[in-house]
Amino acid sequence: MTCATVGLSGSIAASATSTKTTPVTHEATSSQGGEKSFIPLPRHDSTNIVTTFSVLPAVGAPTGVVPLTSQTFTGSARRGHVFVHDGTAWADLTSVFSPGFLYDVTLAPSPSTALSGTGGVLTSLTNSGIPVGRLRVTVRKADGSIFVSDCSVASTSGASTLPLTAADCTTPTRL
């Protein structure tokens, strides 16, 4: 095993900084027709989602939802595919939004409506009163259309359902 020390000198050392102040740019490439086009760089986003929770039961109806644990989800759109990392592995969600070339992704907690349930179980994750157990994935296709899908990452009783798979996501809706 060998180790090496790398030193910067001259103008390279003078311009080296520990912070990035300008966005990443990509050189224009010349296609066969002579037109210059830009190569899209991978798009990334992340969000934190409550993956386990408890429902405070009352007689006949729940009184609240208490978050117990959460997980950071990271999304990446690269080469026409959308991947989401759930903390354990990368899930390929391209099939949820196919057909089409996907090049942009955003992640967020799915919205919820007023609390509704029976005993210690929610009637639906969308009726939790707070955003828990569902990840909203929004993608943009090459034709400019934008689609959104909500993926379940918890059960209605508050247990985590990770790892995330394409089967956990709803049919996409065009915005």
Side-chain angles (χ1 to χ4, degrees):
M1 179 179 229
T2 61
C3 293
T5 303
V6 177
L8 300 176
S9 65
S11 63
I12 293 174
S15 66
T17 64
S18 60
T19 59
K20 189 172 195 171
T21 57
T22 58
V24 175
T25 58
H26 211 307
E27 293 283 331
T29 58
S30 183
S31 62
Q32 289 180 349
E35 243 180 70
K36 292 199 179 237
S37 62
F38 289 91
I39 300 170
L41 295 174
R43 309 299 177 127
H44 301 282
D45 194 22
S46 66
T47 191
N48 196 39
I49 304 292
V50 174
T51 54
T52 60
F53 56 89
S54 64
V55 179
L56 301 174
V59 178
T63 59
V65 175
V66 178
L68 299 176
T69 61
S70 64
Q71 181 64 46
T72 298
F73 291 80
T74 304
S76 176
R78 184 177 178 98
R79 296 184 180 168
H81 293 270
V82 169
F83 298 93
V84 174
H85 194 275
D86 63 11
T88 59
W90 287 97
D92 185 352
L93 300 184
T94 306
S95 63
V96 174
F97 301 99
S98 290
F101 189 89
L102 310 171
Y103 71 95
D104 218 351
V105 62
T106 60
L107 304 176
S110 296
S112 69
T113 58
L115 181 64
S116 175
T118 56
V121 178
L122 297 173
T123 55
S124 167
L125 286 172
T126 60
N127 297 336
S128 63
I130 62 172
V132 298
R134 289 173 53 90
L135 170 70
R136 176 158 284 186
V137 180
T138 306
V139 300
R140 184 168 37 163
K141 293 186 176 186
D143 66 1
S145 59
I146 298 173
F147 287 86
V148 64
S149 177
D150 293 313
C151 303
S152 296
V153 295
S155 67
T156 54
S157 64
S160 173
T161 59
L162 296 177
L164 177 65
T165 65
D168 299 323
C169 300
T170 61
T171 302
T173 304
R174 186 176 183 155
L175 297 180

